[in-house]
Amino acid sequence: MTAVYPSLTRRPLSDGWQVRAARGPAEVPGSAVPATVPGVIHLDLLAAGLIPDPYLDDNESRLAWIGLVDWSYETTFDVSAAQLAASDRHEIVFEGVDTVATISLNGRVLAEVANQHRQWRLDVTDILAEGANTLAVDFRSPIRYANEQSVILGSRERPYPLPYEAIRKSACSFGWDWGISTATSGIWRPVRLESWSAARLDRVLVRAEPDGSGGLVRVDADLVRASAGALTLAVSVAGVERTVEIAEGDDAVSLTVELEHAERWWPAGHGEQPLYDVDIELRAGTDPIDSASRKVGFRSLRWDTEPDEAGAPFQLVVNDRPIFVKGVNWIPDDAFPTRVDRDRYRRRLEQAKAANVNLIRVWGGGIYEADDFFELSDELGLLTWQDFLFACAAYPEEEPLRGEIEAEARDNVARIAHHASLVLLTGNNENLWGFEDWGWNERLDGKTWGAHYYYELLPKTIAEIAPHVPYAPGSPFSPGMGWDGEAQTGPHPNAETHGTMHLWEQWNRLDWSTYRNHRPRFVAEFGWQGPPAWSTLTRSISDAPLTPESPGMIVHQKAIDGNAKLTGGLVPHYRKPEDMETWHWAMQLNQADAVLCALEWFRSHAPYTAGAVVWQLNDCWPVTSWAAIDGDGREKPLLFALRKAFAPRAVSVQPSGDGLVVALTNETAEAWSGDVVLRRVGFDGTVAASVSVPASIDAWSTVRVDVPAELAETDAAVALTAEALGQRGVWWFDEPRDSALQDPSLSATVTRAGDDAFDVAITAGALARDITLLVDKIAPDAAVDRGLVTLLPGETGVFRVSGIRELAVEQILRAEVTRTANQLVVGR
């Protein structure tokens, strides 16, 4: 008689959880309250009405005790005799535990865990009982544990007080210069019971690559067996199925599926993103006993780092086409990441794509992002770059961290390596630079700091599991760097002429116009601060009066000397306003101006400069920060600056020696030729001089066109406009604060464009600089599709306002709603 094997079953264990304070300075009753899994303790206490919202006012400090408490989670689930007997093996799988915990079933300890960033699979075959089973996860205070480990491992260099380098937990959960300190605990990713017989799939690696006009899909699968016996692995792609027999005793198998025709996957802006389902089935005889699935895209990929006469580039090449990287840095989209579901990922990533972004860098102080993040990036054509989780600190290389770091690297590389969007894995954020320039070497005095991870362990792990995924030891990083056991060798890690660099001197010490003093090969971090949207600010801070320095504002400003840097960065361009709403607008506008200046400059030097990644796209709570989208998901003017600078066809005017040039960027498949129309314009719209310069530009390229000397003279002109490619670039001869900008005399019409959308046409009576509609002041859910629009006298710009049921001209033309740069000059 032929044996019949059941398929592996997966039973979620998400119901019936309760949590209570076990030990420590809890300021809540000791009785258990309902708990959500996946979730974290802050959200459970908030749902139970035991704590206020951590994001409001100074509740962060009021709730600091939570991270000092040990918390106990527990649930009970039933298993029938038939369920026990139906399978040979039973395992409980935790996809993520945050962070230090003892896991028990029916009073027996299954594991002691201390790593937020890895999966745990625990055999409970001999412990699972018929009837009720009690699963408990007892957490230790992450703050106390990290402090204990820092004593054992020895102190290391870091920028913040709590020793986040001594615990494998999201570094920014202890606070950052944009982030709230939560130090939370919880079962933060799903947990389930898996039951199976004969065998199950363990690690499944899938790699897709183009092959002529077709494609190859290679599957490497590791198995875990409960019994001997021949098995079959079947793989199906695009209607093509291949099978391979697995002999008794073998626990690894490989199989390749060949497709005669496979469409190429392209980054956003360069083509389509076709994805192919890869269905994998493990069979015992004819019985399917386990399965897995992946989606893949076919594209070739490399980073060109070959030395040239200037240094070494960092040029992304996809399907043999050089790609200018238009990137943004990504932090966890919520300080409690369990609240970020697929819909929220989609909203945020679609906002990025709408701003013409083509790459998202997942920063190394957060988390390895969820499957939803990478799947949606594949669909949208957004390239992804995932840092390994090391940020701005020296990390011990001793146990237990050493083994945990290898385990988490293996888990996460295997999980994400098949994604078409994944173009780079990076060893750390700023640690190579810190060791070189921030005095770490001397203060460490021979202690380990992470070099083994960045130069040995991580590249070795990638070479074994995902050799098709490029790797860089750090960001910033210069190709040719290495480690000889005592010192880093090769170029400086933040060299302007080699690889990737971070530019932070502008925000910290210099005016943003000095971005133009640099000609980097690739900028992986730079940015400027600005406050969140007005509705976000006033929802989260109840100060009366609300001022830039009122108590709640300071709580929601985490950067060292942040407000002083905001003011210092504003006054070279605008005078500091006295009222709060105008201060808010001035700082948002200056943030956008700073980043726009940098991006247009960097892009004008393509392909020598091969990319720019702005710090940062998103926020994790309501805060004054470098983000383009605030903690409530509202778009700041900075996002409009990204959209303009990253447009497929873009025009900007740049300084060059003693003169000016027009930079034309054509990131489309069609070449362009025509006239660059140059006009020297006065405040009243008068054209003081005009000339047309013939130009042409190939597809996917950038050219620079000299501005005739007589057009670069200021005379009575306020600006030089350059029109080509259907776009306009503007060069302002004076800073706004030194100019004679007038009241723009705006008028408007409002036309309904849908149940909750309106087209707002704004006409300028005089030159209007950087028109931006802060429509959340009319209705908190309202949004607008464009901003930072400059109109010459008599010109009209149309703005689509959505998320609002009724809209009147009088509402739009309120001075605090329709903002311009003129408002920061007129009357001063």
Side-chain angles (χ1 to χ4, degrees):
M1 181 177 177
T2 304
V4 177
Y5 295 99
S7 294
L8 181 147
T9 62
R10 296 177 174 88
R11 175 184 173 183
L13 299 178
S14 55
D15 297 333
W17 287 91
Q18 293 193 318
V19 62
R20 62 179 177 82
R23 184 169 67 97
E27 296 184 11
V28 294
S31 56
V33 299
T36 298
V37 172
V40 291
I41 185 60
H42 287 71
L43 300 183
D44 295 330
L45 298 175
L46 183 62
L50 296 174
I51 62 170
D53 187 335
Y55 290 179
L56 303 184
D57 296 316
D58 194 16
N59 290 340
E60 176 186 10
S61 63
R62 291 179 59 191
L63 301 176
W65 57 267
I66 296 175
L68 295 168
V69 174
D70 296 347
W71 299 96
S72 291
Y73 282 75
E74 186 174 291
T75 190
T76 300
F77 61 96
D78 289 330
V79 178
S80 69
Q83 289 170 324
L84 282 174
S87 301
D88 296 333
R89 296 278 181 88
H90 304 278
E91 297 169 328
I92 291 180
V93 180
F94 287 85
E95 292 188 18
V97 177
D98 181 14
T99 292
V100 185
T102 300
I103 302 173
S104 305
L105 180 67
N106 297 334
R108 290 177 57 180
V109 173
L110 301 179
E112 303 276 357
V113 304
N115 191 334
Q116 178 185 1
H117 308 306
R118 59 176 293 197
Q119 184 181 102
W120 306 92
R121 180 178 288 273
L122 310 172
D123 189 346
V124 297
T125 305
D126 297 330
I127 305 173
L128 202 63
E130 179 183 353
N133 290 264
T134 300
L135 179 61
V137 184
D138 296 312
F139 288 93
R140 289 186 58 191
S141 156
I143 293 176
R144 296 185 192 279
Y145 177 86
N147 281 324
E148 290 171 6
Q149 289 299 303
S150 72
V151 172
I152 294 169
L153 295 166
S155 63
R156 297 296 198 281
E157 298 303 308
R158 61 180 177 276
Y160 302 109
L162 288 173
Y164 62 82
E165 81 286 351
I167 182 174
R168 293 313 295 160
K169 178 175 172 63
S170 174
C172 65
S173 68
F174 296 108
W176 214 260
D177 59 3
W178 37 256
I180 184 175
S181 176
T182 60
T184 197
S185 296
I187 305 167
W188 78 292
R189 281 183 168 163
V191 56
R192 63 184 177 272
L193 174 66
E194 292 192 357
S195 301
W196 53 277
S197 297
R200 65 167 174 84
L201 295 168
D202 190 26
R203 187 176 71 180
V204 177
L205 305 177
V206 178
R207 175 179 178 180
E209 58 186 42
D211 182 33
S213 62
L216 303 176
V217 176
R218 177 185 172 94
V219 176
D220 295 288
D222 294 339
L223 316 176
V224 176
R225 291 178 176 268
S227 59
L231 302 168
T232 301
L233 187 76
V235 177
S236 176
V237 187
V240 179
E241 181 176 286
R242 297 287 183 267
T243 61
V244 61
E245 300 300 316
I246 308 169
E248 289 191 26
D250 286 353
D251 58 7
V253 63
S254 298
L255 184 153
T256 298
V257 178
E258 301 178 8
L259 301 181
E260 290 186 5
H261 181 74
E263 298 289 340
R264 296 297 175 261
W265 184 97
W266 286 95
H270 287 263
E272 300 301 315
Q273 293 81 43
L275 296 170
Y276 293 77
D277 291 317
V278 181
D279 295 316
I280 304 151
E281 190 172 82
L282 182 66
R283 299 169 183 164
T286 59
D287 299 329
I289 59 173
D290 198 3
S291 63
S293 63
R294 304 285 190 271
K295 281 186 181 292
V296 299
F298 294 93
R299 86 289 187 271
S300 64
L301 170 72
R302 63 186 174 89
W303 291 88
D304 179 8
T305 59
E306 285 299 312
D308 56 24
E309 66 280 0
F314 198 73
Q315 174 68 66
L316 178 63
V317 182
V318 178
N319 297 328
D320 297 323
R321 180 185 298 165
I323 305 292
F324 184 87
V325 169
K326 301 183 293 186
V328 287
N329 283 274
W330 173 279
I331 64 172
D333 201 53
D334 200 301
F336 307 115
T338 57
R339 293 200 285 204
V340 185
D341 59 13
R342 190 178 183 91
D343 286 344
R344 182 158 160 184
Y345 276 122
R346 181 178 290 279
R347 287 196 302 274
R348 206 64 71 242
L349 294 174
E350 286 179 344
Q351 285 173 305
K353 185 172 180 177
N356 297 311
V357 165
N358 66 13
L359 179 141
I360 312 285
R361 176 197 173 208
V362 183
W363 169 75
I367 61 176
Y368 297 101
E369 274 300 340
D371 293 338
D372 286 338
F373 171 89
F374 290 100
E375 290 168 6
L376 291 167
S377 295
D378 290 347
E379 292 178 18
L380 295 169
L382 292 172
L383 305 167
T384 54
W385 156 351
Q386 172 75 61
D387 283 2
F388 288 96
L389 299 186
F390 306 90
C392 304
Y395 283 80
E397 297 172 14
E398 291 74 34
E399 297 292 354
L401 285 184
R402 193 182 185 105
E404 289 294 339
I405 286 165
E406 180 172 4
E408 78 181 49
R410 297 178 72 85
D411 270 8
N412 287 284
V413 171
R415 179 174 63 88
I416 69 175
H418 67 281
H419 287 285
S421 60
L422 183 64
V423 296
L424 189 66
L425 292 167
T426 300
N428 67 81
N429 176 74
E430 297 190 343
N431 295 352
L432 309 184
W433 186 17
F435 183 81
E436 201 72 21
D437 276 1
W438 302 347
W440 291 7
N441 195 5
E442 295 79 6
R443 292 193 292 271
L444 285 166
D445 197 22
K447 291 177 184 174
T448 57
W449 62 281
H452 166 72
Y453 305 137
Y454 318 137
Y455 290 110
E456 298 177 39
L457 173 65
L458 297 177
K460 179 182 176 181
T461 300
I462 294 168
E464 174 196 335
I465 296 174
H468 60 290
V469 180
Y471 171 76
S475 182
F477 171 74
S478 293
M481 285 185 64
W483 174 252
D484 66 8
E486 295 183 357
Q488 293 183 121
T489 60
H492 188 280
N494 202 37
E496 185 167 320
T497 55
H498 290 71
T500 60
M501 78 174 304
H502 294 188
L503 280 170
W504 282 114
E505 286 301 292
Q506 282 68 33
W507 162 250
N508 284 316
R509 297 175 181 84
L510 304 174
D511 179 43
W512 51 254
S513 62
T514 64
Y515 284 123
R516 298 192 186 107
N517 295 343
H518 297 277
R519 207 161 72 99
R521 307 309 300 266
F522 189 107
V523 188
E525 273 190 28
F526 75 99
W528 205 268
Q529 268 203 347
W534 185 254
S535 295
T536 302
L537 196 66
T538 54
R539 181 193 69 81
S540 58
I541 301 171
S542 60
D543 293 351
L546 180 67
T547 75
E549 308 294 336
S550 60
M553 285 293 293
I554 297 303
V555 170
H556 292 247
Q557 164 60 280
K558 296 295 186 181
I560 297 173
D561 296 327
N563 276 12
K565 292 174 182 177
L566 283 172
T567 300
L570 179 75
V571 293
H573 311 282
Y574 299 97
R575 291 181 176 85
K576 182 181 177 183
E578 295 301 323
D579 71 279
M580 181 62 189
E581 286 199 60
T582 306
W583 177 92
H584 170 266
W585 161 238
M587 295 308 178
Q588 284 201 329
L589 176 60
N590 199 50
Q591 177 187 35
D593 285 347
V595 174
L596 181 62
C597 168
L599 287 178
E600 290 186 334
W601 173 254
F602 298 146
R603 205 173 180 199
S604 75
H605 290 284
Y608 179 89
T609 299
V613 187
V614 177
W615 187 272
Q616 66 214 60
L617 176 69
N618 59 329
D619 263 328
C620 64
W621 75 309
V623 66
T624 296
S625 83
W626 297 263
I629 302 169
D630 73 22
D632 282 1
R634 295 188 175 95
E635 297 174 359
K636 294 159 65 172
L638 173 57
L639 199 72
F640 302 130
L642 302 187
R643 187 174 300 165
K644 181 179 187 297
F646 285 156
R649 285 185 163 180
V651 177
S652 70
V653 184
Q654 302 293 341
S656 179
D658 294 329
L660 297 173
V661 297
V662 178
L664 306 178
T665 296
N666 180 26
E667 198 173 86
T668 74
E670 300 296 327
W672 178 89
S673 62
D675 287 337
V676 179
V677 179
L678 300 165
R679 295 186 179 93
R680 206 165 69 240
V681 181
F683 285 106
D684 60 358
T686 302
V687 177
S690 177
V691 69
S692 295
V693 179
S696 62
I697 181 170
D698 293 335
W700 315 113
S701 61
T702 295
V703 299
R704 292 157 69 90
V705 178
D706 289 333
V707 174
E710 64 272 18
L711 268 294
E713 297 173 359
T714 59
D715 288 346
V718 62
L720 175 73
T721 65
E723 295 183 12
L725 291 162
Q727 305 294 322
R728 176 192 286 165
V730 182
W731 176 261
W732 303 97
F733 288 111
D734 295 308
E735 292 292 347
R737 63 172 292 151
D738 301 321
S739 72
L741 278 173
Q742 308 164 22
D743 183 328
S745 300
L746 301 180
S747 59
T749 62
V750 175
T751 306
R752 185 175 290 277
D755 288 344
D756 65 348
F758 295 85
D759 285 334
V760 177
I762 294 182
T763 301
L767 188 150
R769 183 168 175 177
D770 293 321
I771 301 171
T772 302
L773 309 186
L774 305 185
V775 293
D776 66 294
K777 292 185 176 184
I778 301 174
D781 292 334
V784 65
D785 68 336
R786 61 194 300 226
L788 305 175
V789 175
T790 292
L791 299 177
L792 300 178
E795 290 184 335
T796 298
V798 179
F799 302 76
R800 173 64 59 87
V801 177
S802 59
I804 189 169
R805 304 292 294 185
E806 299 294 338
L807 184 62
V809 169
E810 294 76 16
Q811 292 173 297
I812 281 291
L813 289 180
R814 283 163 43 197
E816 66 270 23
V817 172
T818 295
R819 286 294 195 176
T820 64
N822 304 48
Q823 293 170 324
L824 304 178
V825 176
V826 175
R828 297 304 301 259

